[in-house]
Amino acid sequence: MLFRSDEQNFDQAHIEFEKVQSVDNEDLLAQSRYYDGNSLLQMGRNQDALTAYQKFIADFPGNLFITPVYFDMGSIHGKLKEYDEATRYYELAIQNTKDEVTKGEIQYQIGNNYFSQEDYQSAIVAYEKLMEVYPQDLNIPEARFGIGESYWYLKDYETAIVEYNGILEKDPDSDNIPFVKYRIGECYYKTDEKEQALDWYQQVIDDHSESPIVKDATYSKIWALNDLKRFEEAETVGRAYIDKYKEDTIYDIAAAETQVILGDIKFDAEDYIAAADEYLKVPVDYKDLPKFDLFKSKSLLQAGLSYYREAERSDWDIGLLTNAVDAFARLVDQFETNFDKALREFEYRTLYVNSAILNLGLSYTEMKEFDKARAALDQMPADSSEYGNALFLKSRTYGEEGNIDGAVAAYQEIIANENLSETSRSDRKSTRLNS
């Protein structure tokens, strides 16, 4: 086995070991030098530990403690993300010991080192070597898990399923079993076998009710039910999930996304008023924290679209259009006008904001409030990919208003704008003909 100091006060231990400069017994001196380096390692003084170990190698190249020195150096380089050096020292550690248990432990760490650097193919080779060369090693169950995870990250889901099932068969008492079952479900989900995915998610929920992974399995179950168009079941499970985890400091974000899914279910069913009600719960029910910004902005956009769709099939009902305007305007105000981009920027923000600006212009146009429509469209940044659309919609407001001169001038502005590509102008023409 690898050597470890039992000394917990590593700072004091380092001071004491450092005092041992020379003794008649070379083995005792080597031992004190090793524990000095190990104390530095335990205190997190990695570079100092490496320096001490390098000196040990120079002074005691054939000493028994050379194996733990090499092992510790491998560990330090791994922590520093210097993976090639880590592997080199782990292999030196194996070469300098005859103890099979120690060799197995080091071989396992070599696999972990490759896994940490996301070299999953090499990790698989290292773990498989452990199982082949050291079949009695106590780390083999974890190595099997590492192989399954490596195939998962390689997106070889079919092979991952085989490996995970091997864990269920060979290591049934492993603490990893709930997560392994969940991973199998995720693999089936990734390969579009949603029914099988659902079965595995349910196994986790039924067989491991006390496991934290149940939260993830339930969340994935909602997605699978939704994809399978089993909307009533998805809604039932989703509402229970929200009620349970809305105040959870970790899974509250999954609860927020689940609330968006409930809105999507209603939207896809063309139950637009109910959809808007679901979407609008997200901005109200969740705190003003950056982690919710994505779902709040999307929900406001979708709520506005829901009201707009319902207004469209209700002969452009002014009350519904007003609700749409309120949702779009809230999105622009909260996530553009008064938004701290330096601290809270997030993916899709610009997409959602620009979509809200366009839809705000469309909604005001249908309300015959043309000045407000143009003012809304003027908010579109000139460097946005939607700028051409905004100019076209703005020009259309003049036509709707009966202002022919204004419409002509606006169209001429589009033609004269050198920043708009030919494709962009063609898109505008196509949009105008289809409207």
Side-chain angles (χ1 to χ4, degrees), residues 385-435:
S385 61
E386 295 292 350
Y387 184 63
N389 267 331
L391 288 179
F392 169 72
L393 291 174
K394 182 179 177 181
S395 65
R396 202 182 81 174
T397 64
Y398 289 109
E400 295 276 344
E401 193 178 21
N403 184 345
I404 304 302
D405 291 340
V408 170
Y411 283 122
Q412 287 177 339
E413 181 184 353
I414 295 174
I415 295 170
N417 193 319
E418 295 181 355
N419 292 324
L420 296 179
S421 65
E422 287 301 319
T423 301
S424 180
R425 291 193 182 89
S426 176
D427 288 344
R428 303 295 84 72
K429 182 178 179 182
S430 176
T431 303
R432 177 161 50 84
L433 292 174
N434 291 330
S435 63

Side-chain angles (χ1 to χ4, degrees), residues 4 10 34 77 85 172 207 212 228 235 252 264 269 318 335 376 382:
R4 286 291 179 269
F10 298 112
Y34 167 70
H77 284 294
E85 284 294 284
D207 299 345
L228 290 166
E235 185 174 348
D252 52 1
D264 291 342
I318 294 298
F335 293 100

